[in-house]
Every structure is written in structure tokens, then in C-alpha cells.
Amino acid sequence: MLTMTREEYLYACRNKLIVPYESELIDSLREITCRGLPASIIALSSSVHEGQCYATAIILSKGMKKFHLILGNIIEYPIDHAYPNHSWIENMNYVYDPIDGFKWNKDLYYKYHKPEVVCEYDESSILNYDDYHKMSSILCYDNHNISIEFLTLMLQYIEVLELEESTLNHQILLDEIEKCRQTYQVTEKYPREVLKEFGQYMKIMLYR
């Protein structure tokens, strides 16, 4: 289990050893969609990317020019040497963890998560990574064919979950949702019953 105490975590945040994703990365991801949902929102929303570290790490790499995408094991999850239990991005002296949505000072990340690197790709060798091509096939840089109905449902569904249980990226995520609504002129609201039904198959539909 993660051995970091609340005091240690707060100290790391105050001293910028753990920081939000930079605005340049979010801006780049906003130009990419996955099944019609901006990748910036996927990267910031734990309700969407929960359990999808492999896919979300690939999405993060799409917003970067230089990176190392890592497959490995961290102590929070059961170790399976045949199939690494986590994937993350390293860039300069930071680790971008796709699950918590924050940048960690690399030394700090390695101290508390104790990662074991199994496989590593950079911006050139990632072309040899099969999952990269599979994920790339459902990412799009052309926003003209977005289903506004699907986007409306997704934005409202994510927003409701976020307001019920705030995450570390709470305000950044809500701001990104509002930017998306303004860009696509999304104004409709659906009743809770529709959102509940939609949530049952949302993740499967998004990543399949």
C-alpha cells in the first residue's frame, strides 16, 4: 500500500513536488477526441479513466513531443510479472500518473510507489507498441463528426459524478467541461434516470 501520509502529501503539494498537468498539455489534449469526448476531459476525469491506465497513458503521450511511456509494477496493485499492473509517462524529472491525474517529482514518485519498470517506449519506439496502434485507431483530430447527443450525455454524466465526489482536479475538470460546452454549443440537460442508464455502459463504449 502507498506509505505516504497526508502530511507528506500536503508538503509535496505545497513545495510543487506534486502538481497538476500543465496547461500546455491540456490544450494539446483538447484537440484530440476519443469516441467524441475531448482527451483533456478523459485525462482529468477519474470517473472516466478509472482502471484504464494503459489507454490513458497512451492518450497523455499524444499531447507530448518528448516522453517515455512505461509499463511496470507499483506496490499499490497485485504484482503480475506476465502483465505489468500499471502504465505511466515520464518526461524530464516528472512522472505523469494517468490514474491520479497529477505530475509527480520523479524521485518522490519512485520513493512512495516503488515502481518496477518492465518495458519502456519513447516517441520513436512506441510505434512498436501494439496497444499504441489500437488506441490510436479510436482517437481523432477531426471534430466535425462528433455526436452532440453523446457529448451532451458524457459531459453531464461526468459533471454529476464530479460534483458528488470531488477529485483533486475538481476545478480544472469543471472548467474543461464548460469550455467543451461552449465550443460545441451544448445546452441540453438530461434527467437523472437517463444518466444512470447511460453510466452503465459508458466506459465500455468509450474504450472498445
Side-chain angles (χ1 to χ4, degrees):
M1 297 295 292
L2 183 62
T3 57
M4 177 179 260
T5 66
R6 174 177 172 79
E7 290 72 22
E8 289 169 329
Y9 176 79
L10 292 174
Y11 174 86
C13 291
R14 284 195 301 268
N15 288 275
K16 299 185 178 180
L17 298 173
I18 302 176
V19 296
Y21 294 155
E22 67 272 22
S23 59
E24 292 82 4
L25 173 60
I26 298 303
D27 290 345
S28 295
L29 294 176
R30 194 181 301 126
E31 302 303 315
I32 308 169
T33 60
C34 178
R35 304 297 190 199
L37 184 67
S40 56
I41 292 176
I42 293 173
L44 293 168
S45 175
S46 59
S47 62
V48 174
H49 65 230
E50 182 181 5
Q52 298 287 346
C53 60
Y54 273 58
T56 309
I58 291 171
I59 287 174
L60 288 175
S61 76
K62 292 287 189 175
M64 302 178 179
K65 294 180 180 178
K66 298 282 187 180
F67 62 85
H68 289 265
L69 187 149
I70 312 294
L71 306 181
N73 293 299
I74 59 174
I75 60 174
E76 285 82 357
Y77 309 129
I79 303 298
D80 181 353
H81 292 287
Y83 192 83
N85 66 27
H86 198 39
S87 180
W88 64 92
I89 297 288
E90 295 183 7
N91 189 348
M92 303 294 287
N93 193 39
Y94 279 104
V95 171
Y96 294 69
D97 191 299
I99 296 303
D100 68 25
F102 269 58
K103 289 167 54 177
W104 288 64
N105 170 274
K106 185 175 178 179
D107 291 338
L108 186 72
Y109 190 86
Y110 273 67
K111 175 182 177 180
Y112 286 102
H113 293 277
K114 295 180 170 49
E116 170 199 16
V117 175
V118 175
C119 191
E120 181 173 347
Y121 300 95
D122 63 15
E123 57 274 6
S124 298
S125 61
I126 200 168
L127 297 176
N128 300 318
Y129 179 28
D130 288 342
D131 283 1
Y132 180 81
H133 295 286
K134 293 175 184 177
M135 193 64 204
S136 296
S137 69
I138 65 172
L139 299 178
C140 181
Y141 294 84
D142 180 3
N143 298 333
H144 294 295
N145 295 319
I146 285 179
S147 166
I148 297 300
E149 181 181 16
F150 172 76
L151 184 62
T152 302
L153 278 163
M154 280 297 300
L155 294 179
Q156 188 179 348
Y157 176 74
I158 295 168
E159 187 176 50
V160 167
L161 292 180
E162 179 63 21
L163 293 174
E164 289 177 348
E165 186 174 352
S166 299
T167 61
L168 296 173
N169 284 312
H170 178 75
Q171 194 55 53
I172 300 173
L173 174 58
L174 292 183
D175 290 346
E176 202 62 25
I177 289 173
E178 184 56 32
K179 287 177 184 177
C180 186
R181 282 199 174 109
Q182 292 177 6
T183 297
Y184 296 101
Q185 299 181 351
V186 172
T187 58
E188 189 172 357
K189 293 284 187 177
Y190 288 93
R192 281 292 186 115
E193 294 75 20
V194 174
L195 291 180
K196 184 177 180 180
E197 182 179 349
F198 176 73
Q200 293 177 355
Y201 62 87
M202 176 270 293
K203 292 180 184 177
I204 297 174
M205 177 171 55
L206 189 65
Y207 284 108
R208 71 183 180 188

